[in-house]
Amino acid sequence: MTSPRTQPAADRPRRGRQRASHSSEAVLSAAVDLLDEAGESALTLRALAARLGTGVGSIYWYVSGKDDLIQRAIDHVLGGVLADIEARAGTGDALDDLRVMAVTLFDAIVDRPWLGTHFMRGIDVEGSSLRLYEDLGRQLLRLDLTPRQRFHGVSAVVGVVVSNALDMGQEPPPSVLDGAVDRDEFLGRYAATWRTLDPDAYPFVHSIVDEFDGHDDKDQFLGALDLTLAGLRLQAGL
Amino acid sequence: MTSPRTQPAADRPRRGRQRASHSSEAVLSAAVDLLDEAGESALTLRALAARLGTGVGSIYWYVSGKDDLIQRAIDHVLGGVLADIEARAGTGDALDDLRVMAVTLFDAIVDRPWLGTHFMRGIDVEGSSLRLYEDLGRQLLRLDLTPRQRFHGVSAVVGVVVSNALDMGQEPPPSVLDGAVDRDEFLGRYAATWRTLDPDAYPFVHSIVDEFDGHDDKDQFLGALDLTLAGLRLQAGL
DNA sequence: GTCATTATCGAACCTCGTTCTATCATCGAA
DNA sequence: TTCGATGATAGAACGAGGTTCGATAATGAC
């Protein structure tokens, strides 16, 4: 009963019954496809089994449960993100590089909102999450910072990326999945509600409602990111 | 069939059957208790009904579903947080005040990790979430910033608070709930794993592992928060 | 060929959110 | 007082989901 959970079957000489060609790879790819196509709620063990042309029980040969499945799926796609990020390193200023990497990561999460929720849960083990953390942090190694400042700095940057990408990922339950209502209109409703509020009770909300209406999510993220980077630049004495 | 969802029964002259004394208040309080005692997974409609000494169906008289229940529970406790926050306003420098408010909010979410996940989902309607947003933002109204800078500024601060509090909220599934393993030891295991990594492949992780081991979560949050605030101070020309 | 190992399959179980219908209590009108 | 209308309550039943389990098939070593 040595399950291939720690060492995928694909790595070993292929044997075993060939009825339906499974493997960690196939399971994970199918899971990612389901996630991409219809979001986190679409990833059910039964749907996954159906797509693989197999039974639910088979999946448990490759993963220990649904949590494990999601974790692996995340690590799976994070591998690609990692390649992108590492390709963009070392060209300029440390903070510029860090910025480019953060933006790349952000874009990836926006592309796949399901990444956000469970993101950074797998930093304990060696995997893409840890590599990502390492790559981000390595930029700060080039600056004149204390270890503590470096540690807090990366945490801050990751936090900004995740929280902003998460923000964008949340959709209204019914509509947007099929594109019936686009995000702009969705956000426009927020703005419309806000405008009806008493300006004396909500002066701030009124002062930014125009900014909010039709705002670009990416700008919002970049704004937050640059605040953090400005703080880091200050700390590094630049 | 006028459900009391928009106007709680408690506000009207008390009538109706008295078999089990329900009300929006009672339902929400019980829900919050369950959440506090054993986390988000403990809040099931059946458990809630049992605690109230009633049937599952009754709960649907007060809330439209589980999402609604959670949203209301959050708004319920956010009311208290709001009071704390508003009590701390207007004493000093705008950014100092903002900092104090952010820390208060952070503490509240750390106290109740279940707040974090669904936090900021109810800013569309008038409620405690929106008030919170307003109170935070009002501090920036006192600074010389453009509307866009204010908008991005509050988003950034909220993002830092939420993402850091969320980080702290995640526990290892089995142990910490009953206090068998405390958080320090839990984090220590991360550090132990990291120390076994190849220092050439993971220079950054190695450089901060001592910092990470036994680190104070709150310091980490404050570090990130101060980076953002430093950026804001810069923007405001202070 | 035999046998242990590797891998697959789906029925069955349990929990959960939600719906539906039956029932009870109270009040206002006839 | 009687009788609907409305306000509330209760729990059975449904369907979907994650997980467990035992049966079974394929493979490789001897």
Side-chain angles (χ1 to χ4, degrees):
Chain A
M1 250 292 266
T2 322
S3 103
R5 284 202 286 268
T6 48
Q7 188 74 3
D11 293 356
R12 283 173 277 144
R14 211 51 197 93
R15 44 183 185 177
R17 185 161 45 160
Q18 217 67 12
R19 284 196 247 177
S21 78
H22 297 334
S23 70
S24 263
E25 245 294 314
V27 171
L28 260 30
S29 295
V32 170
D33 286 346
L34 278 175
L35 253 6
D36 282 344
E37 285 165 23
E40 197 158 353
S41 65
L43 180 60
T44 70
L45 276 293
R46 276 169 245 269
L48 183 56
R51 169 157 306 209
L52 288 166
T54 180
V56 272
S58 306
I59 298 174
Y60 278 79
W61 180 254
Y62 296 99
V63 299
S64 69
K66 199 181 182 183
D67 282 348
D68 187 39
L69 174 65
I70 293 180
Q71 218 49 58
R72 284 165 187 275
I74 288 177
D75 215 73
H76 192 69
V77 306
L78 240 40
V81 179
L82 203 56
D84 274 7
I85 282 186
E86 292 182 344
R88 284 169 165 72
T91 56
D93 171 63
L95 285 175
D96 286 347
D97 281 353
L98 180 56
R99 198 186 118 108
V100 171
M101 293 163 84
V103 172
T104 306
L105 178 57
F106 175 81
D107 287 338
I109 302 182
V110 168
D111 240 36
R112 305 190 205 248
W114 51 272
L115 275 178
T117 326
H118 305 270
F119 192 61
M120 287 285 121
R121 274 269 273 283
I123 331 184
D124 51 333
V125 293
E126 202 163 353
S128 300
S129 286
L130 185 58
R131 287 292 304 275
L132 220 43
Y133 193 65
E134 166 70 28
D135 283 352
L136 256 14
R138 205 173 291 183
Q139 304 311 313
L140 295 189
L141 232 32
R142 299 158 58 190
L143 297 177
D144 183 30
L145 295 170
T146 68
R148 163 167 300 215
Q149 284 175 325
R150 278 200 293 272
F151 170 52
H152 288 169
V154 196
S155 302
V157 169
V158 172
V160 168
V161 171
V162 172
S163 74
N164 277 82
L166 226 59
D167 242 47
M168 296 188 49
Q170 53 178 46
E171 312 278 350
S175 30
V176 186
L177 277 180
D178 49 5
V181 174
D182 80 338
R183 190 171 163 83
D184 277 350
E185 191 190 331
F186 170 55
L187 293 177
R189 273 179 225 162
Y190 273 58
T193 309
W194 289 359
R195 278 191 243 266
T196 68
L197 297 172
D198 175 15
D200 290 331
Y202 294 91
F204 169 71
V205 171
H206 266 89
S207 87
I208 55 99
V209 65
D210 286 336
E211 206 56 56
F212 179 84
D213 198 5
H215 82 286
D216 184 12
D217 295 292
K218 185 129 182 201
D219 280 347
Q220 181 176 349
F221 159 65
L222 291 176
L225 179 62
D226 285 335
L227 282 179
T228 299
L229 292 179
L232 274 171
R233 179 162 274 124
L234 217 59
Q235 279 189 344
L238 298 178
Chain B
M1 249 293 264
T2 323
S3 105
R5 285 203 284 270
T6 48
Q7 187 75 1
D11 292 357
R12 284 172 277 144
R14 210 55 196 91
R15 40 180 189 180
R17 186 161 46 161
Q18 216 67 11
R19 283 196 248 179
S21 79
H22 297 334
S23 71
S24 260
E25 245 295 314
V27 171
L28 260 30
S29 294
V32 170
D33 287 346
L34 279 174
L35 253 6
D36 283 344
E37 285 165 24
E40 198 159 351
S41 66
L43 180 61
T44 68
L45 276 291
R46 276 168 245 269
L48 183 55
R51 170 157 304 211
L52 289 166
T54 180
V56 272
S58 304
I59 298 174
Y60 279 80
W61 180 254
Y62 295 99
V63 299
S64 70
K66 198 181 183 184
D67 282 348
D68 188 38
L69 174 65
I70 293 180
Q71 218 50 56
R72 283 165 187 274
I74 288 177
D75 214 73
H76 193 67
V77 305
L78 240 41
V81 179
L82 203 56
D84 274 8
I85 283 186
E86 293 183 342
R88 285 168 166 72
T91 56
D93 172 63
L95 285 175
D96 286 347
D97 281 354
L98 180 56
R99 200 186 115 108
V100 171
M101 292 164 84
V103 172
T104 305
L105 178 57
F106 174 81
D107 287 338
I109 302 183
V110 167
D111 240 36
R112 307 190 204 249
W114 50 272
L115 275 179
T117 326
H118 303 273
F119 193 61
M120 289 285 121
R121 274 270 272 284
I123 332 184
D124 51 332
V125 292
E126 203 164 352
S128 300
S129 287
L130 185 57
R131 287 292 303 274
L132 221 43
Y133 193 66
E134 166 70 28
D135 283 352
L136 257 14
R138 205 173 293 183
Q139 305 308 314
L140 296 189
L141 231 33
R142 299 157 59 190
L143 298 177
D144 184 30
L145 295 169
T146 68
R148 161 167 301 215
Q149 283 175 326
R150 279 199 293 272
F151 171 51
H152 288 168
V154 194
S155 302
V157 170
V158 172
V160 169
V161 171
V162 172
S163 75
N164 277 81
L166 227 59
D167 241 47
M168 296 186 50
Q170 54 177 46
E171 314 279 349
S175 29
V176 185
L177 277 180
D178 49 6
V181 174
D182 80 337
R183 190 172 163 83
D184 277 350
E185 191 189 331
F186 170 55
L187 292 177
R189 272 180 226 160
Y190 273 57
T193 310
W194 289 359
R195 277 190 245 268
T196 68
L197 297 172
D198 176 13
D200 289 331
Y202 293 91
F204 169 72
V205 172
H206 266 88
S207 86
I208 56 100
V209 65
D210 287 335
E211 206 56 54
F212 179 84
D213 199 3
H215 84 285
D216 184 13
D217 294 294
K218 185 126 180 203
D219 281 347
Q220 182 176 348
F221 159 65
L222 292 176
L225 179 61
D226 285 335
L227 283 180
T228 300
L229 292 179
L232 273 171
R233 180 161 273 122
L234 218 58
Q235 279 189 343
L238 299 177

